[in-house]
Every structure is written in structure tokens, then in C-alpha cells.
Amino acid sequence: MRITNKMMTNNLLSNINNNKNLLNTLDEQYSTGKKIQRPSQDPIIAVRALKLRTNLSELNQYYEKNIPDARSWMNVSEEALKNMNEILTKVNSSCVQGADDHLTPSDRDSIAETLNEMKKQIYQEGNSNYAGRYVFTGYKTNSTMSFEENVTKNYEITQEFTGKDIGALTKVNTKDAALPSALPGEIVPSVTNTHRLRLSYGNVDGMVGQIKFTDDTKPVPADLPGSPAAVNVISVNDAAAYKPAPGTINLIKETGELIISDETPAGPSAVNLYDSMKNAAHITVTYSKSNFVEGDLQPEHYFNCVDKTDAAKPITYTQADQQIQYEINFNQKLTVNTQGKDAFDQSIGRDIDEIISAVKDVQLTEKNIADVKKQLEDKSLSQTQIDALNVRLTNLQTEQKLKTDVMQDKFSKGILGSKNAQDKLNTAVADLGTRSVRLNLTEDRLSSQQVDFEELMSNNEDADIAETYIRLNSVQTLYTASLNAAGKAVKTSLLDFL
């Protein structure tokens, strides 16, 4: 009987301990809302919780940090490209307006001033930055796309052309002198038609090596006749600047123009350089430049070049795709940057400079015409002087007509140049837009995944409060009953023992 009572007492005490543990567990679940407080309570739930938390943490990094940062970078690029497109539209409209031959000098001057301001704004947009990082300069995010002030840096720049880049050029020949009273040796203005390659910079120092031009249509690329060709470095004021000797090329330092002879020199093996170069698939020109002005492109962003400013430590730059990529999802990267060389046509600034120069040439000739007419009003002039001034006036009027034709041709080329620049820009905009769509799709998917992971975590870790409360009350009642039963059993057993 004592054994039976002892066994019953032990069972009651064991049940009390079990109920107490269960009661404590349910009380913790109810107060914290979590299924477990320690990994030992349920290792499976603990391991699954760690894995889900890690995955959610990574997902939140993509969704809440990487994607917003990528979007901000791309928004800055998109806004700059949009502004650039609007500027090029205005440049195109100004060129269309300038091509009208009924404009007054003040109208042309206004158009030239507008184009100059548009050119400045083009380069300002190219220097757009996000959080101090320039968005169009590839990996060199600490470097602007164009110089923001006049600088002296020694570069050797290698520029690639094709035969299609060789363009026709018309130059007006005049007597560059003041207006003397007698005007001896007056000449009739004329034009020189030639062909040129225009470098991306003016005010260059000289050539580095010779010009090579090759044909890639054959199984093995080969130099074309006349390649490599030597170049004469010459000043724009030289009388032969735009009239290279047969079989030669002139580099005009001030304008950055390579004037190519289209005459065949004497001799059985002589080569007409223009006829040979116009069919070239590659024309390689390497030249040096040390003086850059505000708005000039930094060469390393567009060309293969060597910075020899520090002669002891030259820096070589090679053009390549410099993609800045953000990881926006598990094992998924997205290129966020657009390189300036893929969006901005470096020739548009040179087109505008030539238009402004042509407008100034016409304005100067119009001023000279006005000066001659004013001199003709002088009643003290002799007949010889009057005749000389009339000859000068006729020549100036001829010069005005020729320069006006050149100016309108520059405006027409500006129309085409701005259109080509817009086409290149629109290609970059389309590429950026495609990547933005991918970013949006990924963001939507991550948003959905974030909800799913949070739901999985909740199902794994969170206790059902209603169910826990019911179980807590039930166990508490059972625990109280166990205590009462144990009290009576212990009392009876004690009396039996006594």
C-alpha cells in the first residue's frame, strides 16, 4: 500500500513538473509572441529561422539600398541625356534658322551667341555627377568629362577615322590686310576646294609619327598605297596652308585640320593620297596637344592617349567598356552607367565653333564694306583713290558673297551634325531605358519576395496568440488541479506512514 501511494505520489509530482515546464513555455510564447526562446527548444525551427533571416537580410540589402542607389545614378544620367537632347534640338533649330540667307547681321550674331551658350551647356551636362561621382566618365568617377578651366597638360592622342570621315572643304582666299587709302595690289577673292580630316581639337602642337591608313576588305588587312604618309605641320597664316603640295598632307595647328592633297604628283610610283585614303577602313592619326581650354574634352575619356605631363611617369589610357555594375538581386548584376563616348558626339562642339567662326568672317567683311563706303563719302579723295576704293568695295562684296555661301554651308552641316549627334544620343537613351525597365522588374520581384520571406519567417517563428492563450489557460487549470491532487495524496501518504 505504501509502495502504491509512493508511486502515485511520484507520478503526481512528475506531472506537476511537466505541467509547470509547459506552462512556463506557453507563458513565454504568449508574452513574446515567438514559438521558441532558445535553439534547444526546437533546433529545426532555429536553423530555419537563421536561414530565412539571412536571406531576408540580403534581399533587404538589394531592395532597400542597392536598387535605390542604382536608380538614383540612372536617373541623374537620364536627366542629363534628356537635357542634352533638348539642347541639340535647339542647336538644330538655330542651324536651320541660320541657313536662311535673308538674315540681318544682328540676327546672325544672335544665333551665333545662342549656339555658343548651347555648346557650353552641352559640356556642363556631360559633367553631371551623382553624390560627387561623375556619371559619364566610366571608372574615373572623380574626373569630369571636359575641362572646367584652362589647363596645360601634355597629351599624345591617337584618333581613329575611316575614309568616310574625309569631308570637302571650301576656303575663301582674300587679301588679309587693313584698308589703305590707295589699296595697291588688290586681288579678286576666290575659293579653294580641298579635302580634310578634322581632329577633335584645335591648337594642337604637332604630329607624332606618320598617318597610317589600311584596307580591311582583304583577307589580311594591308596598308593602302601611300601609307604611312608624312605630314607637314603648318600655320593657318601660311599661304600654302590649304593648298598642300601634290602627294602631301598639311596639319594646320590652329584649326586642327589635316588637309589632304587630291593631286597626283609626278613620277611613275606617285600616289594620289585622297583617292587612296577615301577607301580606307582605318586611318590612324597620333598628334600632341598641351594647351586645353575650358570645355575641351579630357582625352582619356574618348581616345587612346598617353598623358606625358610628368615625363618620368607617363600614364597610358586605353579605351574599353567601363561598366559600373550594381548587384541588384541574387547573382544578378546591372550596368548603371553610360559612358560619355557612347552618348555624346565630340564633333558637335567643333561644328558650332566653325559656324561661329564663319559668322564672324562674314561680319568682318560687312564691317570692311561699311568702312569703305564711309571712306568714299570723303570729298577730298582723288579720282585715283575713289577708283581704288570702288575696286576694293567690289572685291569685298564678292568676298561677302563667297563667305556667306561658306557660312550657310556651315549651318547646313550643323543641321546634319546635330541630327547625327541626336541619333547617337537617342541610342544611349534607349539603352539606358532598357536597363531601367530591368531594374523596375527586379524591384517588383524583390518586393514580392520580401513579403513572401516575411510571411515564411512569421510562420516559422511567431506563435499563434489565440491558440497559445487557450493552451495556456488549459495547462494552468491542469497545473492547479495537479497541485490540489498532489496535496491530498501527500497528506494521505503521510498519515499511512505515521
Side-chain angles (χ1 to χ4, degrees):
M1 183 65 163
R2 291 176 184 170
I3 296 175
T4 301
N5 288 336
K6 184 178 181 181
M7 292 177 60
M8 181 178 66
T9 301
N10 289 338
N11 288 336
L12 286 172
L13 293 176
S14 177
N15 287 335
I16 289 171
N17 288 331
N18 291 338
N19 289 333
K20 183 179 181 180
N21 291 335
L22 181 57
L23 182 64
N24 290 337
T25 299
L26 291 172
D27 186 55
E28 288 178 344
Q29 290 182 2
Y30 183 72
S31 60
T32 62
K34 298 296 181 180
K35 291 180 180 179
I36 62 173
Q37 303 304 312
R38 295 171 296 281
S40 60
Q41 291 178 315
D42 193 327
I44 294 177
I45 290 178
V47 170
R48 188 182 297 123
L50 289 174
K51 187 173 183 180
L52 288 173
R53 285 174 181 270
T54 300
N55 289 340
L56 184 60
S57 177
E58 292 177 353
L59 189 147
N60 287 338
Q61 173 70 33
Y62 299 136
Y63 182 69
E64 298 175 1
K65 296 180 181 179
N66 291 20
I67 284 182
D69 196 22
R71 174 172 283 106
S72 297
W73 186 296
M74 296 172 76
N75 284 344
V76 170
S77 300
E78 183 179 10
E79 188 65 25
L81 294 176
K82 178 182 176 182
N83 292 341
M84 171 65 74
N85 200 14
E86 293 176 356
I87 294 170
L88 289 175
T89 299
K90 293 178 182 179
V91 169
N92 187 273
S93 299
S94 297
C95 289
V96 171
Q97 184 181 1
D100 186 350
D101 57 359
H102 295 95
L103 294 177
T104 64
S106 61
D107 291 336
R108 290 195 297 267
D109 186 59
S110 176
I111 292 172
E113 183 62 29
T114 299
L115 287 173
N116 190 44
E117 292 302 317
M118 291 298 101
K119 186 188 87 166
K120 292 179 182 178
Q121 190 59 34
I122 286 173
Y123 295 116
Q124 285 297 319
E125 294 298 335
N127 291 339
S128 298
N129 72 86
Y130 166 62
R133 295 177 293 174
Y134 295 96
V135 298
F136 294 114
T137 54
Y139 298 149
K140 290 175 65 65
T141 56
N142 63 335
S143 171
T144 56
M145 194 177 77
S146 60
F147 292 105
E148 296 184 310
E149 60 183 2
N150 297 349
V151 298
T152 300
K153 298 183 73 175
N154 186 17
Y155 278 91
E156 286 186 2
I157 304 168
T158 299
Q159 201 167 340
E160 296 286 342
F161 300 93
T162 70
K164 295 180 180 179
D165 294 319
I166 300 176
L169 177 67
T170 299
K171 194 69 178 176
V172 179
N173 304 316
T174 61
K175 183 176 181 180
D176 186 15
L179 298 176
S181 56
L183 299 165
E186 186 69 32
I187 62 172
V188 178
S190 60
V191 296
T192 297
N193 294 312
T194 186
H195 296 91
R196 71 165 183 185
L197 276 175
R198 187 181 64 187
L199 304 178
S200 291
Y201 300 93
N203 295 316
V204 300
D205 299 335
M207 288 291 299
V208 178
Q210 298 177 308
I211 295 180
K212 293 189 66 176
F213 37 102
T214 59
D215 179 14
D216 288 355
T217 60
K218 299 178 180 179
V220 178
D223 287 350
L224 288 165
S227 176
V231 178
N232 303 314
V233 180
I234 200 168
S235 170
V236 70
N237 296 321
D238 194 297
Y242 291 92
K243 296 179 181 179
T248 64
I249 300 174
N250 287 347
L251 169 61
I252 303 177
K253 295 192 298 182
E254 293 86 349
T255 63
E257 295 173 298
L258 287 165
I259 309 302
I260 304 168
S261 172
D262 54 8
E263 297 181 26
T264 304
S269 59
V271 175
N272 185 310
L273 284 180
Y274 170 67
D275 286 343
S276 182
M277 293 178 68
K278 70 181 181 181
N279 299 316
H282 292 284
I283 302 174
T284 303
V285 181
T286 301
Y287 55 97
S288 59
K289 179 175 173 62
S290 58
N291 294 310
F292 296 86
V293 299
E294 179 184 354
D296 279 346
L297 294 171
Q298 296 209 42
E300 59 264 32
H301 301 314
Y302 271 81
F303 312 107
N304 294 334
C305 59
V306 181
D307 182 354
K308 291 188 173 182
T309 305
D310 184 349
K313 298 179 180 179
I315 304 173
T316 300
Y317 297 99
T318 302
Q319 288 304 302
D321 288 336
Q322 299 179 2
Q323 299 181 359
I324 298 176
Q325 295 186 322
Y326 275 42
E327 191 167 355
I328 59 173
N329 201 351
F330 300 95
N331 298 320
Q332 181 181 348
K333 294 182 179 180
L334 180 71
T335 300
V336 299
N337 70 314
T338 299
Q339 288 184 250
K341 66 184 182 66
D342 297 326
F344 300 97
D345 190 337
Q346 76 269 20
S347 64
I348 188 66
R350 296 278 276 152
D351 287 342
I352 292 174
D353 287 341
E354 289 193 352
I355 290 172
I356 294 173
S357 178
V359 170
K360 289 181 178 179
D361 281 348
V362 173
Q363 289 175 338
L364 178 61
T365 303
E366 289 172 340
K367 178 181 179 299
N368 290 340
I369 289 174
D371 289 345
V372 171
K373 288 181 178 180
K374 185 175 181 180
Q375 289 185 43
L376 284 171
E377 294 175 358
D378 187 354
K379 302 301 182 181
S380 63
L381 294 176
S382 66
Q383 188 59 44
T384 300
Q385 291 174 321
I386 293 174
D387 291 341
L389 286 172
N390 281 326
V391 171
R392 176 63 170 162
L393 180 61
T394 300
N395 289 338
L396 283 172
Q397 289 170 338
T398 301
E399 180 182 330
Q400 179 192 23
K401 175 63 172 63
L402 295 175
K403 287 187 174 181
T404 299
D405 291 341
V406 170
M407 179 188 67
Q408 290 177 335
D409 180 65
K410 296 295 184 185
F411 274 117
S412 297
K413 290 180 178 178
I415 295 172
L416 180 61
S418 58
K419 179 65 170 58
N420 291 338
Q422 273 191 303
D423 290 342
K424 183 174 183 177
L425 185 71
N426 288 334
T427 300
V429 170
D431 177 65
L432 180 61
T434 301
R435 287 183 275 128
S436 296
V437 170
R438 285 184 56 201
L439 185 66
N440 292 335
L441 292 174
T442 302
E443 183 180 33
D444 292 341
R445 184 166 64 252
L446 288 178
S447 177
S448 177
Q449 289 178 345
Q450 188 181 51
V451 174
D452 292 341
F453 271 101
E454 289 175 348
E455 184 177 352
L456 288 172
M457 283 183 57
S458 178
N459 293 338
N460 182 63
E461 300 178 26
D462 296 343
D464 188 329
I465 299 300
E467 180 183 351
T468 303
Y469 181 73
I470 294 171
R471 291 183 63 195
L472 177 62
N473 286 335
S474 298
V475 173
Q476 194 166 19
T477 302
L478 184 60
Y479 178 61
T480 302
S482 299
L483 288 176
N484 290 334
K488 293 178 180 180
V490 169
K491 181 179 179 180
T492 304
S493 300
L494 183 60
L495 289 174
D496 289 343
F497 175 76
L498 293 174

